[in-house]
Structure formats: C-alpha cells, structure tokens
Amino acid sequence: MTVDALAFLSRLHPYDALSDAVRRDIVARARVVRVAAGGPVYEHGAILDGLYVIATGQVRVRDARGAVLSLLSPGNSLGERGLLAEGRAVTSAEAVGDSTLLILPTDLFHSLRQAQPAFRRFFDRSRGAAQTRPSSLSEVRATSLMAANPVTCTPETSVCDAARRMRDHHISCLCVLEGGRLAGLVTLRDLVGKALAERLPGDTPIARIMTPDPRTLPPEATGSDVLHLMAEHRLGHLPVVSGGALLGIVTQTDLTAFQSATSAGLVGEAARAADVPALAAACARIPQMLAQLVGAGHRHDSVTRAVTDVADVVTRRLLSLAQETLGPPPARYLWAACGSQGRQEQTGVSDQDNVLILEDGLDERALRYFAQLATFVCDGLNACGYVYCPGDMMATNPRWCQPVSVWRDYFAHWIANPSKEAQMLASVMFDLRPIGGDATLWDGLQKDTLAQAAGNSIFTAHMASNALTHGTPLGLLRGFATIRSGDHRDTIDMKHSGVVPVVDLGRMYALQGKLEAVNTRARLDGALTAGIVSPGGGRDLLDAYDLVADTRLRHQADQIRDGQAPDNFLPPARLSDFERSHLRNAFVVIKTMQAALMQGRGILG
C-alpha cells in the first residue's frame, strides 16, 4: 500500500468519517490487486476474502443467471452483500478495463462494522437499498446494457466477409470503424435488403450498404434513453460512444428484461402521431405514467427523465409537422429548451420554456419562416398541455428567436453587466438543452459562455447572491413556514421553496466549475467529483435534494390517483411525524449549503 491509498480512502465515504489512525490501520491490513480487462474479480458462489473497493478502472457485476446488475466505478464497493450473508459471493464480477482494487479482509470488514457506527450505517443502508431498489430501465446505465467490445469491420470490408463475421459471432450487426472512430453500422437487414436483394457482388465494400454516422448515446445515458431513442426512430441497434470512441452496442434483445412499456409506449405514440390532436391524446396520459412510476418506487430523477423524454419527442414531432406544413427550413437552426425541460426535470406541472438559435446571415424571408415555425410548435405544445410561459420565455418572442451571433452578444452582455434582469435571464439560459435541429450551433456557444462566466468574479458573485433569493420553508420551534393566505394557505411550495433552491445551487456550482451538465442532480454529482463542494456537504445536499424532490413527486402522484390536477403545494399536516422530521432536516441541509455559498465556503475561489 502507498500514501496514495491513504489519500484515496480519506476522500471516500464512509472512510472519511473514520479517524486517521483507523484509516492507517485499514491501509496496513488491506491488499492491492490488479485485474486485467475481462478478468474475473470473483465468481458467483465463491468464498469472499474481503470487501472489494475499486480504486481505478471499472467492474461489471452480474447476477447468478449472468444478467448485468451494474457497472461500478472508482470509489464503489462490491462483495458486501455476500460478506453480510454467508460469506459467499451472491454475484459475479469482472473487470471491464484494467482495474485496481483494494481488498479489506473479511475480519477487518466485520470489526469495522462493529466498532465504527459510520461504517456500519453506510453498509447497512447500502444493503437495504440494494434489496429494495426496483430494477428498471430508468435506473440502469447504457453501459450496463451494452455488449462491450463489439465486433467491427472497416468501410472496405466486403459484404461477404461482413456476413461471415456476423454468422461466426452469432450477431445481427457490425460496427464500422474508420480511423478508430465509428463511421457506420451495418445490420442483417442491410445485407438482405440492400446487398442480397439487389444482387450486389460479394466483394462490394460494406460502406455502400451501411448506415453512415448512426445515432448514438453517451455512456451516462440511461436504459430509458436507449429505449426511447429506439422507439422514436425505430432502431434495432444503438452504439454507445464516448469522445468519438466506440464503447459498445445495445440491441433490442438487450432490453427484453428491462422493458418499460408505459414510457416507451408514449414515446412511440408521440413519435408516430399524425397531427396535434394525436399528440395531445398521448400527452394526456403523462399524469398516469408519473403516478405509476412513483408508485413503483422509482427515484425522482428517473421519473422526471421519463416525463421529459415524452416532452422532447413531442417537441421534435411538432418540428417535423411544422416542416411538413411550411416546407424545409431555409437554414440551420436549433430548438432548445430551458427551465425544467432543459434540466430534464419535468413533473406533472410544466409550462413551456424554449428558444430558437439560428444560423447567422439570414434574410427576412428566412426569419419569417422561423417565426411561423415557432408559432406552430408553441401552439402545438400548448394544445398538448405544456401551457404558454407566463414570462413569454418562448421562441415566439422575437427576442428569443435570434441568430447565434446575437445569442453570443446576449450572454456576453449579461456576464459583463449583471443587472437583476441579466441575472434572471442568465439563470434561465444557463439551463438550455438542445432538443431539435443542429446541436452544433449550441456546442461552441455553451463552452465559450461557461468559460466567460467562470472567469468573471463579479458576475459569479452576483449570480451567487441571486441563487439565495429562494429561501427554505423553515419556521420557528422546528416547524415549517407555510403559506399564510390564499388558495394554498397552510401548505409548502415544494417547487419554489423546496426544489428551486437546490436547482440554483447546482447552477452556481456548474458555473464555478465550468460543468456542462444541465440536470441538477448531475451538476451536484459533478461538483462533488470535482471538489467544488466538500465531500460531506455535497453528499448531504444530494440526499436532501432526493428527499425533497421525491416528496414533491409523491404529493403529485397522490393527487393524480385521487383524480385531482397535480400541483406543488404540500400540506405538511398530511405527513407523518417521521416524514416531517426528515423533510425539515433536508431543508436545514439546503439552508446550510446556501449559507456556505454566501460565505464563500460552498465554492472554491
């Protein structure tokens, strides 16, 4: 063991809660093992020699039948369930890439559980979560579903050679690589429909029949993202790519055990809708989908991602219908969403917030076209239940339908002159996410804007102050500060007083760290990984956010099941004493992190 191992454990929970002496003892007694890519860490049923902690690399865990359960990264532990049972592995594990693991001997693991409360709470809690957590596509990553190291060929490979490779490997597609990057995809259907049916010579290059530049997903995509993209575009194979490098491929067969018919059905129906009324009919079932997902025990970010996926597909379908009516667009454009849709956090109550970013150099005719397109899409979204934005933050507002150069000027001006309006607009626009059109119009703009914002201390100070405008509903004597009058008297606004304060904190962390993530939970995770927040404070904030957001969604699901329209106003009197106590503790954590931001402790200067 080296000093690096000691430093590694000092940053890793629950070891960071132990004394220096205990950590040094762990380091002295632990072993370091290195496992080559594809090598076994342990087999199912094997007697475990301790707790495995991943220091570098990744480990894939499978159940007794060989189904992938998870893909674990540095900092994750494995083997604890077996150690807490009969001492035998209840799963199998293999290294995905060259990996280094620390093994805490079995007796050390058990002695730490007995003597160290923080250690015991962590692993007992993890065990309970593993036993009760529902298995679903919304909670599994694409990397856990994909076949790693897929069979490949080059564009010059002949159709005969490609067919033989598929036959010999018992697969239905080949990934076509050129210069180490994914250039195309060829399937059995391509071989039959394009080569065999057209009687092409056997030495025909595969480039002639492949699908060039196929749709892909990043490794952090969820199984639901895979399923929804397949449903929308009728795909049977979906490569997983990171930084241009091919990691693996997911097929429809891989999804069989994880089918999520409710959300996938809505996505497929929306993608095939012939008109706006058909889209509206699909959207009318979103509340029931939300209630079912919450009732099945899915965490808030899984539910809101599924709800937002439907909105994304509805938006793209409206863009297609608009182009069928108006004709093809005269120039490149990008339709982007902000607000909850931009952050992939839509619930049962969502208006629309969107903008159009256009190619530079357009004439009046082109501008009129995009004004008509914006009207068609925004009217369609309103008909589907995504009501017009009360603040007119929509592409129908000429201010938010502009060439990319104007958008650059907008951001530069807001950063250089952080007035109250500029702070408000920047808060909204830093949550932009591409939905349809040409995403390259946004890529460079986002990176440049984040760099400008992070480099302007005056702007970030103003944004930090703006992030503290939404207070938590904490009252005196361990009670809640509820709304005092009006239709929502004696309730807590779980959006503006619960979720929004964390959304604001996440946005600030993203600005400080130049993090490109838009989703709040992803921003908090990224801030924790990058050291922008302290390990203890960051984990507490994540737990507090999960509790507040889950409580908000359960409230909406209860309303839907009772036949009511969902809202964000929760009467605390309906909660048990236990629930009220934990919810209050969550608000205390959020308020503490707001205070840390105010005092400069929550972000690194």
Side-chain angles (χ1 to χ4, degrees):
M1 300 292 288
T2 66
V3 177
D4 287 342
L6 186 60
F8 170 70
L9 290 180
S10 69
R11 295 190 299 269
L12 182 65
H13 195 64
Y15 308 94
D16 61 347
L18 307 179
S19 69
D20 290 339
V22 172
R23 279 197 295 269
R24 284 195 295 270
D25 182 60
I26 293 173
V27 169
R29 298 173 60 184
R31 293 189 296 114
V32 179
V33 297
R34 293 177 175 81
V35 184
V41 176
Y42 58 74
E43 302 290 347
H44 177 268
I47 297 176
L48 293 167
D49 54 353
L51 176 75
Y52 292 73
V53 184
I54 303 171
T56 65
Q58 290 184 313
V59 174
R60 182 181 293 113
V61 181
R62 300 179 184 272
D63 64 16
R65 296 170 296 176
V68 174
L69 293 176
S70 59
L71 184 68
L72 302 180
S73 301
N76 291 146
S77 301
L78 58 156
E80 63 267 27
R81 290 180 61 196
L83 293 176
L84 291 169
E86 300 177 351
R88 292 183 178 271
V90 296
T91 59
S92 63
E94 62 190 18
V96 175
D98 293 343
S99 302
T100 305
L101 299 97
L102 311 180
I103 304 180
L104 280 60
T106 302
D107 61 339
L108 175 60
F109 172 80
H110 288 302
S111 66
L112 288 170
R113 282 192 67 246
Q114 292 174 358
Q116 302 295 332
F119 193 92
R120 180 172 60 253
R121 283 195 301 269
F122 178 83
F123 284 102
D124 286 356
R125 181 179 64 182
S126 298
R127 184 188 185 200
Q131 291 172 336
T132 60
R133 186 177 180 182
S135 177
S136 72
L137 277 176
S138 59
E139 294 174 317
V140 68
R141 297 296 179 194
T143 47
S144 296
L145 294 170
M146 72 184 187
N149 304 313
V151 181
T152 64
C153 66
T154 66
E156 295 77 26
T157 301
S158 70
V159 294
C160 278
D161 285 342
R164 281 192 288 268
R165 291 188 196 186
M166 290 191 208
R167 178 200 64 193
D168 294 342
H169 289 88
H170 306 287
I171 55 177
S172 57
C173 71
L174 286 175
C175 294
V176 184
L177 299 185
E178 186 172 22
R181 302 179 68 86
L182 182 67
L185 193 69
V186 62
T187 66
L188 285 175
R189 179 176 293 183
D190 294 325
L191 289 174
V192 173
K194 298 177 181 178
L196 185 59
E198 298 299 327
R199 296 186 177 182
L200 296 180
D203 59 355
T204 300
I206 207 70
R208 181 171 172 183
I209 66 168
M210 72 179 186
T211 299
D213 300 317
R215 297 181 185 277
T216 65
L217 279 176
E220 63 268 23
T222 66
S224 290
D225 294 332
V226 175
L227 185 60
H228 294 165
L229 195 61
M230 284 184 170
E232 181 179 359
H233 298 287
R234 302 182 185 183
L235 305 175
H237 308 80
L238 196 57
V240 179
V241 173
S242 177
L246 176 67
L247 301 182
I249 190 162
V250 183
T251 69
Q252 287 182 336
T253 302
D254 297 325
L255 299 179
T256 300
F258 294 94
Q259 285 300 315
S260 177
T262 303
S263 55
L266 283 182
V267 166
E269 184 176 341
R272 295 188 295 272
D275 50 30
V276 173
L279 280 172
C283 291
R285 299 204 304 279
I286 290 177
Q288 190 59 39
M289 180 189 79
L290 182 148
Q292 289 175 352
L293 291 173
V294 172
H298 298 287
R299 199 172 66 185
H300 67 94
D301 50 329
S302 299
V303 178
T304 55
R305 176 72 71 91
V307 173
T308 307
D309 280 348
V310 178
D312 289 355
V313 175
V314 168
T315 303
R316 286 192 286 268
R317 185 61 186 137
L318 285 168
L319 288 169
S320 296
L321 291 173
Q323 289 168 197
E324 290 174 11
T325 301
L326 302 173
R332 293 186 302 139
Y333 75 91
L334 173 66
W335 186 280
C338 44
S340 59
Q341 185 182 2
R343 297 189 304 274
Q344 295 179 297
E345 294 165 5
Q346 285 191 316
T347 67
V349 188
S350 296
D351 58 4
Q352 56 174 291
D353 300 280
N354 44 65
V355 305
L356 265 173
I357 301 175
L358 310 176
E359 183 179 0
D360 283 327
L362 302 187
D363 57 23
E364 286 300 321
R365 181 186 65 83
L367 293 175
R368 284 195 301 271
Y369 173 95
F370 287 113
Q372 291 176 306
L373 181 139
T375 298
F376 185 102
V377 176
C378 289
D379 287 349
L381 288 171
N382 184 69
C384 290
Y386 304 99
V387 298
Y388 298 121
C389 174
D392 202 20
M393 187 67 68
M394 297 182 295
T396 48
N397 183 339
R399 188 180 186 185
W400 310 128
C401 178
Q402 292 290 335
V404 66
S405 59
V406 174
W407 281 101
R408 285 186 179 276
D409 291 342
Y410 281 165
F411 281 107
H413 179 75
W414 295 333
I415 293 169
N417 304 278
S419 65
K420 284 294 183 182
E421 184 192 36
Q423 294 170 42
M424 182 275 293
L425 293 174
S427 294
V428 173
M429 295 306 177
F430 278 123
D431 292 350
L432 280 176
R433 181 172 61 89
I435 303 297
D438 190 340
T440 61
L441 291 170
W442 172 240
D443 291 343
L445 177 60
Q446 183 192 34
K447 291 178 181 178
D448 292 347
T449 300
L450 284 173
Q452 291 176 36
N456 188 317
S457 59
I458 296 176
F459 173 75
T460 53
H462 280 283
M463 287 295 290
S465 176
N466 186 65
L468 304 175
T469 57
H470 294 99
T472 54
L474 290 171
L476 299 175
L477 303 176
R478 300 191 61 80
F480 292 109
T482 58
I483 297 173
R484 294 178 176 271
S485 61
D487 294 339
H488 304 299
R489 181 180 178 182
D490 297 328
T491 66
I492 300 171
D493 186 340
M494 293 296 290
K495 177 181 177 180
H496 292 100
S497 298
V499 170
V500 169
V502 187
V503 170
D504 290 340
L505 286 172
R507 187 183 300 113
M508 271 307 306
Y509 300 150
L511 286 176
Q512 181 67 15
K514 294 184 280 188
L515 307 176
E516 295 184 11
V518 177
N519 175 265
T520 298
R521 204 175 193 286
R523 282 171 166 171
L524 298 182
D525 270 327
L528 188 57
T529 301
I532 295 169
V533 293
S534 66
R539 283 191 299 272
D540 284 348
L541 185 58
L542 273 170
D543 288 344
Y545 177 56
D546 287 343
L547 180 62
V548 171
D550 281 334
T551 302
R552 176 194 186 197
L553 277 186
R554 284 198 302 272
H555 165 66
Q556 293 188 3
D558 288 343
Q559 290 179 306
I560 292 167
R561 283 189 286 268
D562 291 340
Q564 304 171 19
D567 62 30
N568 293 302
F569 301 98
L570 171 69
R574 294 184 183 177
L575 300 174
S576 68
D577 289 343
F578 180 85
E579 291 171 320
R580 283 197 297 271
S581 176
H582 280 274
L583 186 60
R584 190 182 189 283
N585 289 340
F587 288 137
V588 169
V589 168
I590 296 169
K591 185 174 182 178
T592 300
M593 294 303 287
Q594 288 180 315
L597 181 68
M598 182 184 302
Q599 297 168 10
R601 296 197 311 267
I603 53 179
L604 301 179

